PDB file of all heavy atoms in Angstrom:
ATOM      1  N   LEU O 230      72.220 105.770  97.422  1.00 98.00           N
ATOM      2  CA  LEU O 230      72.173 106.499  96.145  1.00 98.00           C
ATOM      3  C   LEU O 230      73.522 107.159  95.847  1.00 98.00           C
ATOM      4  O   LEU O 230      73.911 107.306  94.682  1.00 98.00           O
ATOM      5  CB  LEU O 230      71.043 107.531  96.148  1.00 98.00           C
ATOM      6  CG  LEU O 230      69.623 106.955  96.019  1.00 98.00           C
ATOM      7  CD1 LEU O 230      68.593 108.077  95.873  1.00 98.00           C
ATOM      8  CD2 LEU O 230      69.497 105.993  94.841  1.00 98.00           C
ATOM      9  N   GLN O 231      74.252 107.525  96.895  1.00 97.00           N
ATOM     10  CA  GLN O 231      75.595 108.072  96.653  1.00 97.00           C
ATOM     11  C   GLN O 231      76.510 106.991  96.069  1.00 97.00           C
ATOM     12  O   GLN O 231      77.277 107.253  95.144  1.00 97.00           O
ATOM     13  CB  GLN O 231      76.192 108.622  97.962  1.00 97.00           C
ATOM     14  CG  GLN O 231      75.627 109.978  98.370  1.00 97.00           C
ATOM     15  CD  GLN O 231      75.992 111.089  97.404  1.00 97.00           C
ATOM     16  OE1 GLN O 231      77.119 111.163  96.928  1.00 97.00           O
ATOM     17  NE2 GLN O 231      75.041 111.949  97.095  1.00 97.00           N
ATOM     18  N   LEU O 233      75.527 104.411  94.365  1.00 98.00           N
ATOM     19  CA  LEU O 233      75.047 104.197  92.991  1.00 98.00           C
ATOM     20  C   LEU O 233      75.631 105.264  92.048  1.00 98.00           C
ATOM     21  O   LEU O 233      76.067 104.958  90.936  1.00 98.00           O
ATOM     22  CB  LEU O 233      73.515 104.222  92.991  1.00 98.00           C
ATOM     23  CG  LEU O 233      72.815 104.075  91.645  1.00 98.00           C
ATOM     24  CD1 LEU O 233      71.520 103.273  91.814  1.00 98.00           C
ATOM     25  CD2 LEU O 233      72.469 105.414  91.023  1.00 98.00           C
ATOM     26  N   CYS O 234      75.648 106.504  92.518  1.00 98.00           N
ATOM     27  CA  CYS O 234      76.188 107.590  91.675  1.00 98.00           C
ATOM     28  C   CYS O 234      77.653 107.342  91.325  1.00 98.00           C
ATOM     29  O   CYS O 234      78.069 107.555  90.178  1.00 98.00           O
ATOM     30  CB  CYS O 234      76.092 108.931  92.408  1.00 98.00           C
ATOM     31  SG  CYS O 234      74.444 109.593  92.451  1.00 98.00           S
ATOM     32  N   LEU O 235      78.435 106.895  92.313  1.00 97.00           N
ATOM     33  CA  LEU O 235      79.868 106.707  92.041  1.00 97.00           C
ATOM     34  C   LEU O 235      80.106 105.547  91.080  1.00 97.00           C
ATOM     35  O   LEU O 235      81.043 105.567  90.283  1.00 97.00           O
ATOM     36  CB  LEU O 235      80.631 106.482  93.354  1.00 97.00           C
ATOM     37  CG  LEU O 235      80.674 107.698  94.280  1.00 97.00           C
ATOM     38  CD1 LEU O 235      81.428 107.367  95.550  1.00 97.00           C
ATOM     39  CD2 LEU O 235      81.319 108.900  93.605  1.00 97.00           C
ATOM     40  N   ALA O 237      77.899 104.725  88.719  1.00 98.00           N
ATOM     41  CA  ALA O 237      77.250 104.973  87.424  1.00 98.00           C
ATOM     42  C   ALA O 237      77.693 106.247  86.720  1.00 98.00           C
ATOM     43  O   ALA O 237      77.484 106.382  85.512  1.00 98.00           O
ATOM     44  CB  ALA O 237      75.731 105.004  87.633  1.00 98.00           C
ATOM     45  N   MET O 238      78.312 107.192  87.449  1.00 98.00           N
ATOM     46  CA  MET O 238      78.549 108.506  86.826  1.00 98.00           C
ATOM     47  C   MET O 238      79.531 108.415  85.659  1.00 98.00           C
ATOM     48  O   MET O 238      80.362 107.509  85.575  1.00 98.00           O
ATOM     49  CB  MET O 238      79.064 109.499  87.870  1.00 98.00           C
ATOM     50  CG  MET O 238      80.459 109.235  88.363  1.00 98.00           C
ATOM     51  SD  MET O 238      80.914 110.468  89.619  1.00 98.00           S
ATOM     52  CE  MET O 238      82.587 109.970  89.968  1.00 98.00           C
ATOM     53  N   GLU O 239      79.419 109.389  84.766  1.00 97.00           N
ATOM     54  CA  GLU O 239      80.368 109.516  83.658  1.00 97.00           C
ATOM     55  C   GLU O 239      81.709 109.988  84.220  1.00 97.00           C
ATOM     56  O   GLU O 239      81.750 110.587  85.301  1.00 97.00           O
ATOM     57  CB  GLU O 239      79.856 110.549  82.644  1.00 97.00           C
ATOM     58  CG  GLU O 239      78.611 110.114  81.902  1.00 97.00           C
ATOM     59  CD  GLU O 239      78.836 108.839  81.095  1.00 97.00           C
ATOM     60  OE1 GLU O 239      79.845 108.749  80.369  1.00 97.00           O
ATOM     61  OE2 GLU O 239      77.995 107.923  81.197  1.00 97.00           O
ATOM     62  N   PRO O 246      85.483 119.752  92.990  1.00 95.00           N
ATOM     63  CA  PRO O 246      84.169 119.467  93.554  1.00 95.00           C
ATOM     64  C   PRO O 246      83.035 119.518  92.534  1.00 95.00           C
ATOM     65  O   PRO O 246      82.215 118.607  92.466  1.00 95.00           O
ATOM     66  CB  PRO O 246      83.994 120.550  94.620  1.00 95.00           C
ATOM     67  CG  PRO O 246      85.387 120.887  95.026  1.00 95.00           C
ATOM     68  CD  PRO O 246      86.235 120.718  93.811  1.00 95.00           C
ATOM     69  N   ASP O 247      82.987 120.557  91.722  1.00 96.00           N
ATOM     70  CA  ASP O 247      81.840 120.656  90.827  1.00 96.00           C
ATOM     71  C   ASP O 247      81.890 119.664  89.685  1.00 96.00           C
ATOM     72  O   ASP O 247      80.849 119.180  89.239  1.00 96.00           O
ATOM     73  CB  ASP O 247      81.637 122.097  90.356  1.00 96.00           C
ATOM     74  CG  ASP O 247      80.922 122.904  91.444  1.00 96.00           C
ATOM     75  OD1 ASP O 247      80.211 122.270  92.257  1.00 96.00           O
ATOM     76  OD2 ASP O 247      81.105 124.121  91.502  1.00 96.00           O
ATOM     77  N   SER O 248      83.082 119.325  89.214  1.00 97.00           N
ATOM     78  CA  SER O 248      83.152 118.326  88.133  1.00 97.00           C
ATOM     79  C   SER O 248      82.535 117.014  88.606  1.00 97.00           C
ATOM     80  O   SER O 248      81.729 116.405  87.899  1.00 97.00           O
ATOM     81  CB  SER O 248      84.599 118.066  87.732  1.00 97.00           C
ATOM     82  OG  SER O 248      85.155 119.204  87.167  1.00 97.00           O
ATOM     83  N   VAL O 249      82.934 116.563  89.795  1.00 97.00           N
ATOM     84  CA  VAL O 249      82.427 115.283  90.292  1.00 97.00           C
ATOM     85  C   VAL O 249      80.931 115.387  90.594  1.00 97.00           C
ATOM     86  O   VAL O 249      80.131 114.531  90.204  1.00 97.00           O
ATOM     87  CB  VAL O 249      83.209 114.856  91.560  1.00 97.00           C
ATOM     88  CG1 VAL O 249      82.581 113.626  92.192  1.00 97.00           C
ATOM     89  CG2 VAL O 249      84.662 114.591  91.213  1.00 97.00           C
ATOM     90  N   ARG O 250      80.537 116.460  91.254  1.00 97.00           N
ATOM     91  CA  ARG O 250      79.137 116.536  91.680  1.00 97.00           C
ATOM     92  C   ARG O 250      78.192 116.791  90.504  1.00 97.00           C
ATOM     93  O   ARG O 250      77.048 116.352  90.524  1.00 97.00           O
ATOM     94  CB  ARG O 250      79.011 117.557  92.805  1.00 97.00           C
ATOM     95  CG  ARG O 250      79.883 117.073  93.987  1.00 97.00           C
ATOM     96  CD  ARG O 250      79.794 117.892  95.221  1.00 97.00           C
ATOM     97  NE  ARG O 250      80.168 119.274  95.067  1.00 97.00           N
ATOM     98  CZ  ARG O 250      80.106 120.156  96.065  1.00 97.00           C
ATOM     99  NH1 ARG O 250      79.660 119.796  97.255  1.00 97.00           N
ATOM    100  NH2 ARG O 250      80.467 121.401  95.879  1.00 97.00           N
ATOM    101  N   ASN O 251      78.692 117.462  89.462  1.00 98.00           N
ATOM    102  CA  ASN O 251      77.861 117.615  88.260  1.00 98.00           C
ATOM    103  C   ASN O 251      77.511 116.252  87.678  1.00 98.00           C
ATOM    104  O   ASN O 251      76.389 116.018  87.221  1.00 98.00           O
ATOM    105  CB  ASN O 251      78.598 118.415  87.179  1.00 98.00           C
ATOM    106  CG  ASN O 251      78.697 119.882  87.526  1.00 98.00           C
ATOM    107  OD1 ASN O 251      77.986 120.358  88.406  1.00 98.00           O
ATOM    108  ND2 ASN O 251      79.591 120.589  86.847  1.00 98.00           N
ATOM    109  N   GLU O 252      78.501 115.344  87.683  1.00 98.00           N
ATOM    110  CA  GLU O 252      78.245 114.010  87.114  1.00 98.00           C
ATOM    111  C   GLU O 252      77.303 113.209  88.009  1.00 98.00           C
ATOM    112  O   GLU O 252      76.439 112.484  87.514  1.00 98.00           O
ATOM    113  CB  GLU O 252      79.564 113.256  86.896  1.00 98.00           C
ATOM    114  CG  GLU O 252      80.524 113.908  85.917  1.00 98.00           C
ATOM    115  CD  GLU O 252      79.897 114.201  84.560  1.00 98.00           C
ATOM    116  OE1 GLU O 252      78.924 113.524  84.171  1.00 98.00           O
ATOM    117  OE2 GLU O 252      80.378 115.139  83.883  1.00 98.00           O
ATOM    118  N   LYS O 253      77.467 113.350  89.319  1.00 98.00           N
ATOM    119  CA  LYS O 253      76.579 112.586  90.218  1.00 98.00           C
ATOM    120  C   LYS O 253      75.132 113.053  90.081  1.00 98.00           C
ATOM    121  O   LYS O 253      74.204 112.243  90.053  1.00 98.00           O
ATOM    122  CB  LYS O 253      77.042 112.749  91.675  1.00 98.00           C
ATOM    123  CG  LYS O 253      78.312 111.946  91.987  1.00 98.00           C
ATOM    124  CD  LYS O 253      78.494 111.734  93.477  1.00 98.00           C
ATOM    125  CE  LYS O 253      78.809 113.003  94.197  1.00 98.00           C
ATOM    126  NZ  LYS O 253      78.716 112.912  95.628  1.00 98.00           N
ATOM    127  N   VAL O 254      74.951 114.347  89.997  1.00 98.00           N
ATOM    128  CA  VAL O 254      73.567 114.839  89.951  1.00 98.00           C
ATOM    129  C   VAL O 254      72.879 114.426  88.646  1.00 98.00           C
ATOM    130  O   VAL O 254      71.670 114.175  88.607  1.00 98.00           O
ATOM    131  CB  VAL O 254      73.502 116.364  90.211  1.00 98.00           C
ATOM    132  CG1 VAL O 254      73.814 117.183  88.987  1.00 98.00           C
ATOM    133  CG2 VAL O 254      72.136 116.749  90.762  1.00 98.00           C
ATOM    134  N   LYS O 255      73.668 114.288  87.575  1.00 98.00           N
ATOM    135  CA  LYS O 255      73.067 113.823  86.304  1.00 98.00           C
ATOM    136  C   LYS O 255      72.501 112.417  86.482  1.00 98.00           C
ATOM    137  O   LYS O 255      71.443 112.095  85.933  1.00 98.00           O
ATOM    138  CB  LYS O 255      74.127 113.805  85.200  1.00 98.00           C
ATOM    139  CG  LYS O 255      74.398 115.160  84.598  1.00 98.00           C
ATOM    140  CD  LYS O 255      75.365 114.981  83.426  1.00 98.00           C
ATOM    141  CE  LYS O 255      76.261 116.180  83.294  1.00 98.00           C
ATOM    142  NZ  LYS O 255      77.461 115.935  82.516  1.00 98.00           N
ATOM    143  N   ILE O 256      73.207 111.581  87.229  1.00 98.00           N
ATOM    144  CA  ILE O 256      72.707 110.217  87.470  1.00 98.00           C
ATOM    145  C   ILE O 256      71.407 110.272  88.283  1.00 98.00           C
ATOM    146  O   ILE O 256      70.419 109.611  87.945  1.00 98.00           O
ATOM    147  CB  ILE O 256      73.774 109.374  88.205  1.00 98.00           C
ATOM    148  CG1 ILE O 256      74.974 109.142  87.298  1.00 98.00           C
ATOM    149  CG2 ILE O 256      73.192 108.048  88.710  1.00 98.00           C
ATOM    150  CD1 ILE O 256      74.697 108.315  86.061  1.00 98.00           C
ATOM    151  N   LEU O 257      71.416 111.067  89.331  1.00 98.00           N
ATOM    152  CA  LEU O 257      70.211 111.132  90.184  1.00 98.00           C
ATOM    153  C   LEU O 257      69.000 111.606  89.380  1.00 98.00           C
ATOM    154  O   LEU O 257      67.889 111.138  89.571  1.00 98.00           O
ATOM    155  CB  LEU O 257      70.472 112.056  91.378  1.00 98.00           C
ATOM    156  CG  LEU O 257      71.506 111.514  92.376  1.00 98.00           C
ATOM    157  CD1 LEU O 257      71.963 112.606  93.342  1.00 98.00           C
ATOM    158  CD2 LEU O 257      70.936 110.328  93.147  1.00 98.00           C
ATOM    159  N   ARG O 258      69.262 112.530  88.455  1.00 98.00           N
ATOM    160  CA  ARG O 258      68.149 113.050  87.641  1.00 98.00           C
ATOM    161  C   ARG O 258      67.740 112.067  86.549  1.00 98.00           C
ATOM    162  O   ARG O 258      66.682 112.237  85.946  1.00 98.00           O
ATOM    163  CB  ARG O 258      68.539 114.391  87.021  1.00 98.00           C
ATOM    164  CG  ARG O 258      68.605 115.484  88.073  1.00 98.00           C
ATOM    165  CD  ARG O 258      68.965 116.815  87.454  1.00 98.00           C
ATOM    166  NE  ARG O 258      69.061 117.847  88.474  1.00 98.00           N
ATOM    167  CZ  ARG O 258      69.907 118.860  88.443  1.00 98.00           C
ATOM    168  NH1 ARG O 258      70.732 119.000  87.424  1.00 98.00           N
ATOM    169  NH2 ARG O 258      69.920 119.748  89.408  1.00 98.00           N
ATOM    170  N   SER O 259      68.609 111.078  86.285  1.00 98.00           N
ATOM    171  CA  SER O 259      68.265 110.090  85.256  1.00 98.00           C
ATOM    172  C   SER O 259      67.603 108.846  85.843  1.00 98.00           C
ATOM    173  O   SER O 259      67.316 107.905  85.090  1.00 98.00           O
ATOM    174  CB  SER O 259      69.522 109.649  84.501  1.00 98.00           C
ATOM    175  OG  SER O 259      70.225 110.746  84.019  1.00 98.00           O
ATOM    176  N   LEU O 260      67.421 108.813  87.159  1.00 98.00           N
ATOM    177  CA  LEU O 260      66.742 107.649  87.747  1.00 98.00           C
ATOM    178  C   LEU O 260      65.299 107.621  87.243  1.00 98.00           C
ATOM    179  O   LEU O 260      64.585 108.635  87.340  1.00 98.00           O
ATOM    180  CB  LEU O 260      66.758 107.741  89.282  1.00 98.00           C
ATOM    181  CG  LEU O 260      68.108 107.447  89.952  1.00 98.00           C
ATOM    182  CD1 LEU O 260      68.073 107.845  91.424  1.00 98.00           C
ATOM    183  CD2 LEU O 260      68.476 105.974  89.797  1.00 98.00           C
ATOM    184  N   ILE O 310      68.559 103.508  85.309  1.00 98.00           N
ATOM    185  CA  ILE O 310      69.094 104.822  84.960  1.00 98.00           C
ATOM    186  C   ILE O 310      68.857 105.014  83.469  1.00 98.00           C
ATOM    187  O   ILE O 310      69.360 104.235  82.644  1.00 98.00           O
ATOM    188  CB  ILE O 310      70.603 104.891  85.284  1.00 98.00           C
ATOM    189  CG1 ILE O 310      70.803 104.706  86.796  1.00 98.00           C
ATOM    190  CG2 ILE O 310      71.207 106.208  84.822  1.00 98.00           C
ATOM    191  CD1 ILE O 310      72.247 104.463  87.187  1.00 98.00           C
ATOM    192  N   ASN O 312      69.863 106.435  80.646  1.00 98.00           N
ATOM    193  CA  ASN O 312      70.832 107.094  79.768  1.00 98.00           C
ATOM    194  C   ASN O 312      71.462 106.020  78.875  1.00 98.00           C
ATOM    195  O   ASN O 312      71.155 104.837  79.003  1.00 98.00           O
ATOM    196  CB  ASN O 312      71.882 107.909  80.553  1.00 98.00           C
ATOM    197  CG  ASN O 312      72.798 107.059  81.408  1.00 98.00           C
ATOM    198  OD1 ASN O 312      72.882 105.848  81.239  1.00 98.00           O
ATOM    199  ND2 ASN O 312      73.481 107.690  82.330  1.00 98.00           N
ATOM    200  N   PHE O 425      81.542 115.895  99.421  1.00 97.00           N
ATOM    201  CA  PHE O 425      80.344 116.325 100.153  1.00 97.00           C
ATOM    202  C   PHE O 425      79.187 116.474  99.172  1.00 97.00           C
ATOM    203  O   PHE O 425      79.398 116.607  97.968  1.00 97.00           O
ATOM    204  CB  PHE O 425      80.624 117.639 100.886  1.00 97.00           C
ATOM    205  CG  PHE O 425      81.646 117.447 101.980  1.00 97.00           C
ATOM    206  CD1 PHE O 425      83.002 117.431 101.682  1.00 97.00           C
ATOM    207  CD2 PHE O 425      81.255 117.233 103.289  1.00 97.00           C
ATOM    208  CE1 PHE O 425      83.956 117.215 102.672  1.00 97.00           C
ATOM    209  CE2 PHE O 425      82.193 117.014 104.285  1.00 97.00           C
ATOM    210  CZ  PHE O 425      83.545 117.007 103.980  1.00 97.00           C
ATOM    211  N   VAL O 426      77.990 116.430  99.718  1.00 98.00           N
ATOM    212  CA  VAL O 426      76.812 116.348  98.858  1.00 98.00           C
ATOM    213  C   VAL O 426      76.258 117.749  98.603  1.00 98.00           C
ATOM    214  O   VAL O 426      75.971 118.493  99.544  1.00 98.00           O
ATOM    215  CB  VAL O 426      75.749 115.446  99.532  1.00 98.00           C
ATOM    216  CG1 VAL O 426      74.555 115.265  98.612  1.00 98.00           C
ATOM    217  CG2 VAL O 426      76.346 114.097  99.914  1.00 98.00           C
ATOM    218  N   ARG O 427      76.109 118.087  97.326  1.00 97.00           N
ATOM    219  CA  ARG O 427      75.628 119.416  96.960  1.00 97.00           C
ATOM    220  C   ARG O 427      74.108 119.476  97.074  1.00 97.00           C
ATOM    221  O   ARG O 427      73.427 118.459  97.009  1.00 97.00           O
ATOM    222  CB  ARG O 427      76.085 119.716  95.521  1.00 97.00           C
ATOM    223  CG  ARG O 427      76.314 121.160  95.235  1.00 97.00           C
ATOM    224  CD  ARG O 427      77.015 121.338  93.905  1.00 97.00           C
ATOM    225  NE  ARG O 427      76.322 120.684  92.790  1.00 97.00           N
ATOM    226  CZ  ARG O 427      76.820 120.577  91.556  1.00 97.00           C
ATOM    227  NH1 ARG O 427      78.018 121.073  91.287  1.00 97.00           N
ATOM    228  NH2 ARG O 427      76.134 119.980  90.603  1.00 97.00           N
ATOM    229  N   ARG O 428      73.600 120.678  97.215  1.00 97.00           N
ATOM    230  CA  ARG O 428      72.154 120.843  97.435  1.00 97.00           C
ATOM    231  C   ARG O 428      71.326 120.196  96.333  1.00 97.00           C
ATOM    232  O   ARG O 428      70.316 119.537  96.593  1.00 97.00           O
ATOM    233  CB  ARG O 428      71.827 122.342  97.540  1.00 97.00           C
ATOM    234  CG  ARG O 428      70.361 122.597  97.762  1.00 97.00           C
ATOM    235  CD  ARG O 428      70.070 124.070  97.999  1.00 97.00           C
ATOM    236  NE  ARG O 428      68.649 124.268  98.208  1.00 97.00           N
ATOM    237  CZ  ARG O 428      68.101 125.408  98.589  1.00 97.00           C
ATOM    238  NH1 ARG O 428      68.858 126.461  98.826  1.00 97.00           N
ATOM    239  NH2 ARG O 428      66.793 125.507  98.755  1.00 97.00           N
ATOM    240  N   ASP O 429      71.749 120.363  95.081  1.00 97.00           N
ATOM    241  CA  ASP O 429      70.929 119.801  94.001  1.00 97.00           C
ATOM    242  C   ASP O 429      70.927 118.272  94.019  1.00 97.00           C
ATOM    243  O   ASP O 429      69.964 117.639  93.573  1.00 97.00           O
ATOM    244  CB  ASP O 429      71.323 120.358  92.618  1.00 97.00           C
ATOM    245  CG  ASP O 429      72.811 120.253  92.320  1.00 97.00           C
ATOM    246  OD1 ASP O 429      73.558 119.744  93.175  1.00 97.00           O
ATOM    247  OD2 ASP O 429      73.228 120.684  91.224  1.00 97.00           O
ATOM    248  N   GLU O 430      72.003 117.686  94.551  1.00 97.00           N
ATOM    249  CA  GLU O 430      72.008 116.218  94.700  1.00 97.00           C
ATOM    250  C   GLU O 430      70.960 115.785  95.723  1.00 97.00           C
ATOM    251  O   GLU O 430      70.239 114.809  95.512  1.00 97.00           O
ATOM    252  CB  GLU O 430      73.375 115.732  95.190  1.00 97.00           C
ATOM    253  CG  GLU O 430      74.507 115.838  94.206  1.00 97.00           C
ATOM    254  CD  GLU O 430      75.786 115.302  94.843  1.00 97.00           C
ATOM    255  OE1 GLU O 430      75.926 114.093  95.019  1.00 97.00           O
ATOM    256  OE2 GLU O 430      76.661 116.127  95.180  1.00 97.00           O
ATOM    257  N   VAL O 431      70.922 116.506  96.847  1.00 97.00           N
ATOM    258  CA  VAL O 431      69.944 116.163  97.890  1.00 97.00           C
ATOM    259  C   VAL O 431      68.530 116.281  97.307  1.00 97.00           C
ATOM    260  O   VAL O 431      67.685 115.399  97.495  1.00 97.00           O
ATOM    261  CB  VAL O 431      70.078 117.114  99.109  1.00 97.00           C
ATOM    262  CG1 VAL O 431      69.076 116.753 100.195  1.00 97.00           C
ATOM    263  CG2 VAL O 431      71.483 117.062  99.671  1.00 97.00           C
ATOM    264  N   GLU O 432      68.298 117.349  96.561  1.00 96.00           N
ATOM    265  CA  GLU O 432      66.959 117.569  96.012  1.00 96.00           C
ATOM    266  C   GLU O 432      66.592 116.486  95.000  1.00 96.00           C
ATOM    267  O   GLU O 432      65.473 115.973  94.999  1.00 96.00           O
ATOM    268  CB  GLU O 432      66.886 118.969  95.392  1.00 96.00           C
ATOM    269  CG  GLU O 432      66.853 120.039  96.468  1.00 96.00           C
ATOM    270  CD  GLU O 432      67.022 121.466  95.956  1.00 96.00           C
ATOM    271  OE1 GLU O 432      67.258 121.655  94.737  1.00 96.00           O
ATOM    272  OE2 GLU O 432      66.941 122.375  96.776  1.00 96.00           O
ATOM    273  N   ALA O 433      67.556 116.143  94.145  1.00 97.00           N
ATOM    274  CA  ALA O 433      67.257 115.132  93.115  1.00 97.00           C
ATOM    275  C   ALA O 433      67.005 113.764  93.754  1.00 97.00           C
ATOM    276  O   ALA O 433      66.131 113.011  93.312  1.00 97.00           O
ATOM    277  CB  ALA O 433      68.404 115.049  92.113  1.00 97.00           C
ATOM    278  N   SER O 434      67.775 113.431  94.801  1.00 97.00           N
ATOM    279  CA  SER O 434      67.556 112.107  95.399  1.00 97.00           C
ATOM    280  C   SER O 434      66.224 112.075  96.136  1.00 97.00           C
ATOM    281  O   SER O 434      65.496 111.089  96.056  1.00 97.00           O
ATOM    282  CB  SER O 434      68.733 111.677  96.272  1.00 97.00           C
ATOM    283  OG  SER O 434      68.918 112.573  97.303  1.00 97.00           O
TER     284      SER O 434
END
Side-chain angles (χ1 to χ4, degrees):
L230 286 186
Q231 283 294 319
L233 177 144
C234 285
L235 293 179
M238 70 181 182
E239 292 299 312
D247 280 335
S248 294
V249 173
R250 299 185 301 178
N251 287 344
E252 298 306 335
K253 286 199 291 168
V254 81
K255 280 185 213 161
I256 293 295
L257 292 166
R258 289 181 182 146
S259 307
L260 286 168
I310 298 168
N312 66 16
F425 294 82
V426 184
R427 210 169 54 188
R428 180 174 180 172
D429 51 0
E430 290 181 73
V431 181
E432 287 170 356
S434 60

